Amino acid sequence: AALYEEGDADAAALLAARDIARVEIAGWPESMPRPHAPLSGFTVLALGGLLDMVGDAEREPLRLGGHQGSYPAGLAAFTALMAQLAAKGVPPARVSLVEALLWVNWKAASGAHADGKAPTRDGARSEFQVVPCADGHVALVYGVTQFDAVAKLVGDARLNDPRFATRPERRRLITEIYAVLRPWCAARTRAEIYAAAQARGIPFGTVVTPFELLDDPQMVDRGFIVDMAGLKMPRLPVLWNGAGFAPAPLVEERAP
């Protein structure tokens, strides 16, 4: 792959003549009119629908952490490059940040089409929430068929109420359910909740800090956190023939 300035005819001709893999990463879909103002990461999140997923509907949208637009676009670009390298005759690819986010947020479009109502910011009425526990926070996320397993995990008879038998009713009565779940979590540590949930196949997730990630047993065992000139940082999340690629420090050129 190569980069060149728009309008650089010599560089463009060179690329067209050579048998190389090419991927263009752009902000907008090719068919969408270009805006007058520059595209930003924040507006990409808005156009992809992700800003309508997090936080309370009564306040302004919250930006998701990290670079959510870049992650799926990078994955799509990597897939396109691998296809071009693996097979002859695959044409150059174009990846749109906005379309990549729509791909990730497919449930919003599908839900709007199927139910006539897109998922939006439910805040305290959200089905899956992050709640406090004894030493931090835990994300109470589980499969839509796993509520009975959650009820058995918590062991509170109130969760066996027949009104909670169906998902639509559970969503309508979600504040009553969290009135049971929140105290249960508050009395336990992240590790206790995680271990108990894992034993029942429930994908609760603990909220960890960047410092904790450095010593996370799974990350350490996979060799995911590497040392680069005394600085710890994650390697690329891709394996080639079972081996990962760790970034290397730049070597300054010195005059002889």
Side-chain angles (χ1 to χ4, degrees), residues 117-167:
K117 179 182 180 298
T120 187
R121 294 175 290 148
D122 291 327
R125 297 195 58 81
S126 175
E127 184 175 12
F128 307 123
Q129 300 182 26
V130 176
V131 302
C133 58
D135 61 347
H137 291 78
V138 62
L140 303 185
V141 181
Y142 50 90
V144 296
T145 61
Q146 291 183 302
F147 183 77
D148 288 345
V150 172
K152 291 178 181 178
L153 169 67
V154 175
D156 191 307
R158 289 176 291 176
L159 295 180
N160 299 324
D161 191 317
R163 296 180 302 155
F164 301 151
T166 66
R167 188 186 184 195

Side-chain angles (χ1 to χ4, degrees), residues 9-252:
D10 292 337
L14 179 62
L15 284 176
R18 296 180 61 186
D19 184 19
I20 62 175
R22 285 180 289 156
V23 174
E24 176 191 359
I25 300 179
W28 295 92
E30 195 167 22
S31 59
M32 181 181 288
R34 292 183 179 274
H36 297 294
L39 191 68
S40 69
F42 192 67
T43 52
V44 165
L45 293 175
L47 288 165
L50 291 192
L51 293 188
D52 199 39
M53 293 177 60
V54 180
D56 294 305
E58 291 76 18
R59 58 158 295 167
E60 63 275 9
L62 296 173
R63 176 169 181 164
L64 296 171
H67 304 278
Q68 299 295 326
S70 300
Y71 302 147
L75 177 60
F78 176 81
T79 303
L81 282 173
M82 293 302 102
Q84 292 180 61
L85 293 172
K88 296 294 184 180
V90 177
R94 187 178 192 275
V95 176
S96 160
L97 289 170
V98 173
E99 289 179 330
L101 275 182
L102 290 172
W103 169 48
V104 170
N105 196 21
W106 65 270
K107 287 185 178 180
S110 297
H113 180 263
D115 303 328
K117 179 182 180 298
T120 187
R121 294 175 290 148
D122 291 327
R125 297 195 58 81
S126 175
E127 184 175 12
F128 307 123
Q129 300 182 26
V130 176
V131 302
C133 58
D135 61 347
H137 291 78
V138 62
L140 303 185
V141 181
Y142 50 90
V144 296
T145 61
Q146 291 183 302
F147 183 77
D148 288 345
V150 172
K152 291 178 181 178
L153 169 67
V154 175
D156 191 307
R158 289 176 291 176
L159 295 180
N160 299 324
D161 191 317
R163 296 180 302 155
F164 301 151
T166 66
R167 188 186 184 195
E169 282 300 288
R170 290 196 296 271
R171 298 187 70 171
R172 186 178 70 85
L173 302 169
I174 199 66
T175 54
E176 293 186 34
I177 292 174
Y178 272 91
V180 178
L181 297 180
R182 284 178 175 272
W184 183 84
C185 291
R188 292 163 176 80
T189 66
R190 291 176 299 172
E192 291 171 337
I193 296 171
Y194 180 76
Q198 286 286 301
R200 293 182 178 271
I202 303 171
F204 286 178
T206 58
V207 178
V208 297
T209 68
F211 288 106
E212 291 171 325
L213 284 175
L214 296 177
D215 299 316
D216 180 82
Q218 179 170 327
M219 299 299 171
V220 172
D221 184 67
R222 289 179 55 82
F224 192 70
I225 304 296
V226 298
D227 186 277
M228 189 182 80
L231 178 66
K232 286 188 175 182
M233 63 183 302
R235 61 170 171 78
L236 288 179
V238 178
L239 297 178
W240 284 271
N241 296 324
F245 174 78
L250 295 175
V251 178
E252 294 184 3

